[in-house]
Amino acid sequence: MKVLVINAGSSSLKYQLIDMDDESVKAKGLCERIGIAGSKLTHKVPGKDDFVIEEDMPTHQTAIELVLKALVDPDHGVVSSVDEIDAVGHRVLHGGSVYTESIKIDDDVKKVIRECFDLGPLHNPANLMGIEACEAAMPGKSNVAVFDTAFGMSLEPYAYRYAIPEEYYEKYKIRRYGFHGTSHMFVSAETIRYAELPEGHQRVIVCHLGNGSSISASIGGKAVDTSMGLTPLEGLVMGTRSGDLDPAVVQFICDHENISVDDMLTILNKKSGVLALSGGLSSDFRDLSQAAEEGNEKAKLALDAFRHKVVKTIGGYLGVMNGADAIAFTGGIGENDVEMRASIMKHFEFAGIHIDPEKNKVRGKRQEISTPDSTVRVFVLPTNEELAIARETLRLS
Ligand code: AMP
């Protein structure tokens, strides 16, 4: 069975065609500048040169049609006809409080995705466009929605409710949803599988550290806490997002700088985080590590602040679950930044959690990095959101 995975953004669309018999990626690619002049599709097939189509893509519908054209292309394609694609899995940002897991798409599902435009204004409209484009281009195929918020739906009210008047929860469903859910779901399940954690000993902390960063605590693959909130702004210090801050900061800066709350949110999402703490140097951890090594104090501050918040969050979750059986690092930083992993885990030596410096040299591949006597096993476990979406699509088709 072959599953097409679609991740539609407002002006871009990423795809992967996965053969579920062996979970191999047959082809993947990216449509850029949809609806903007100069659109292009880059199609990649393992072992072949990239295939680039520069053609107008005024809508997501035309983008999907080009993707299908590339997939069946006699020279660069990987299937002889669109009929060989059995189902389509869609990444959808927000399912509100309605969907606690992935679901086969019908009119009711599309209605809920539309009703959540308010909660995911940048992503949900694009996700829906991707779905409707696939329905039009491949009538009769099963389409599945995999929600980034679904993983957070198993939180108890004391973990997801904000301590603000109830009316805002009742009227607007203002609560903590958590994001990166597909990644947390995949990595927590894979950690349980890879580590062969027995039932009753499946308390896992997943540190998804990348440009966007979040940490989850889960038991048996079900989330009990997660660091992002109503939006992905809450929680850790990120590449360009501030993470947690006193809401009074927003009022103070808006009043003194005479800017709107919308402007302030743009600053908190796009101009904050390690980018801001490093004095505008970079949001990329490779640049920051190099600058810090060369004595740049602001880059060092940015890395220290990032680590401090990660440590506080892991420590909090160790308390929430009364310990942990495994901690897994994933995301660009979690999978590759050897020094950051080591320096985070150093804070937990008091609890008998120890990293083996040799094993910790691993980059981008799954490996246990703790010592045999560590009280909690620690892993590097690369995330694979597309495969998670494809597995959910297979399960529901
Ligand atoms: P992501 O958003 O998951 O793609 O992660 C992007 C982040 O991972 C960026 O801050 C990169 O600097 C960081 N990253 C990627 N590779 C490395 C590496 N080899 N060492 C340190 N950080 C890395």
Side-chain angles (χ1 to χ4, degrees):
M1 174 160 180
K2 292 191 181 69
V3 172
L4 180 63
V5 175
I6 299 288
N7 183 356
S10 52
S11 66
S12 70
L13 186 146
K14 288 190 215 148
Y15 64 93
Q16 279 194 10
L17 184 69
I18 301 181
D19 186 339
M20 296 311 288
D21 292 342
D22 57 0
E23 296 192 334
S24 61
V25 178
K26 294 288 158 212
K28 64 180 176 181
L30 169 68
C31 302
E32 295 167 273
R33 302 179 64 87
I34 301 170
I36 309 170
S39 2
K40 101 174 171 187
L41 178 153
T42 309
H43 178 76
K44 293 172 186 281
V45 176
K48 288 193 182 174
D49 289 342
D50 288 3
F51 176 42
V52 177
I53 307 180
E54 290 187 14
E55 206 172 302
D56 262 3
M57 291 180 235
T59 63
H60 285 68
Q61 170 94 39
T62 45
I64 287 288
E65 281 162 9
L66 269 192
V67 169
L68 297 179
K69 195 168 139 189
L71 287 170
V72 301
D73 183 86
D75 297 324
H76 305 274
V78 289
V79 287
S80 51
S81 117
V82 173
D83 290 342
E84 284 183 43
I85 301 170
D86 298 284
V88 190
H90 298 266
R91 177 184 207 163
V92 181
L93 182 83
H94 225 300
S97 313
V98 180
Y99 293 119
T100 55
E101 55 175 71
S102 314
I103 189 161
K104 212 164 157 171
I105 298 171
D106 60 14
D107 286 345
D108 289 342
V109 176
K110 286 194 281 181
K111 185 163 168 271
V112 172
I113 296 173
R114 202 170 287 114
E115 283 165 3
C116 292
F117 277 8
D118 250 9
L119 293 167
L122 296 179
H123 296 84
N124 269 39
N127 300 154
L128 186 60
M129 280 194 275
I131 291 167
E132 290 180 334
C134 286
E135 286 176 335
M138 292 174 278
K141 301 263 183 229
S142 131
N143 284 271
V144 169
V146 180
F147 299 99
D148 230 19
T149 48
F151 187 70
M153 284 295 109
S154 54
L155 266 55
E156 294 288 346
Y158 57 75
Y160 72 69
R161 281 286 297 275
Y162 290 114
I164 59 175
E166 191 179 22
E167 61 182 293
Y168 304 120
Y169 174 67
E170 295 298 341
K171 271 202 271 188
Y172 309 117
K173 290 284 174 280
I174 301 287
R175 53 162 282 176
R176 303 182 61 252
Y177 287 94
F179 294 84
H180 289 149
T182 313
S183 174
H184 286 287
M185 173 180 75
F186 178 84
V187 177
S188 58
E190 286 296 295
T191 303
I192 290 171
R193 191 149 74 171
Y194 182 62
E196 298 182 3
L197 298 179
E199 230 168 279
H201 297 275
Q202 298 179 336
R203 296 165 301 173
V204 180
I205 295 174
V206 173
C207 304
H208 179 118
L209 309 179
N211 193 33
S213 290
S214 63
I215 302 186
S216 68
S218 59
I219 300 177
K222 295 259 173 248
V224 293
D225 211 342
T226 185
S227 63
M228 284 175 167
L230 174 73
T231 76
L233 188 52
E234 188 176 334
L236 306 178
V237 173
M238 305 182 214
T240 63
R241 295 189 194 119
S242 63
D244 295 341
L245 86 172
D246 182 342
V249 170
V250 174
Q251 182 207 29
F252 191 99
I253 295 179
C254 286
D255 285 354
H256 284 74
E257 295 282 317
N258 199 21
I259 59 174
S260 67
V261 172
D262 277 4
D263 292 339
M264 191 60 209
L265 277 183
T266 304
I267 293 168
L268 294 177
N269 272 301
K270 303 230 158 99
K271 298 184 179 169
S272 299
V274 291
L275 173 69
L277 287 171
S278 66
L281 178 71
S282 178
S283 62
D284 191 299
F285 274 57
R286 285 163 290 199
D287 299 340
L288 295 174
S289 306
Q290 195 184 333
E293 249 172 56
E294 291 163 3
N296 184 318
E297 285 301 320
K298 290 181 183 174
K300 184 172 176 310
L301 169 69
L303 295 172
D304 288 348
F306 173 84
R307 181 186 311 104
H308 183 66
K309 191 66 199 237
V310 169
V311 167
K312 284 208 290 189
T313 308
I314 295 175
Y317 290 171
L318 285 171
V320 164
M321 296 195 291
N322 207 345
D325 299 295
I327 297 174
F329 284 92
T330 197
I333 300 160
E335 290 167 29
N336 297 297
D337 195 332
V338 172
E339 287 77 27
M340 181 55 77
R341 276 196 311 254
S343 65
I344 289 168
M345 293 317 300
K346 227 176 161 21
H347 287 262
F348 298 99
E349 285 184 344
F350 79 94
I353 307 176
H354 297 288
I355 296 298
D356 178 327
E358 274 307 308
K359 292 183 188 158
N360 186 42
K361 283 183 181 158
V362 67
R363 286 199 161 98
K365 79 180 203 327
R366 54 176 72 182
Q367 180 161 302
E368 185 159 0
I369 58 169
S370 45
T371 58
D373 65 344
S374 178
T375 51
V376 177
R377 296 169 69 192
V378 184
F379 297 85
V380 170
L381 212 144
T383 192
N384 190 339
E385 290 163 275
E386 289 77 16
L387 180 57
I389 293 170
R391 284 182 183 169
E392 287 290 272
T393 305
L394 176 68
R395 184 173 70 80
L396 291 165
S397 295

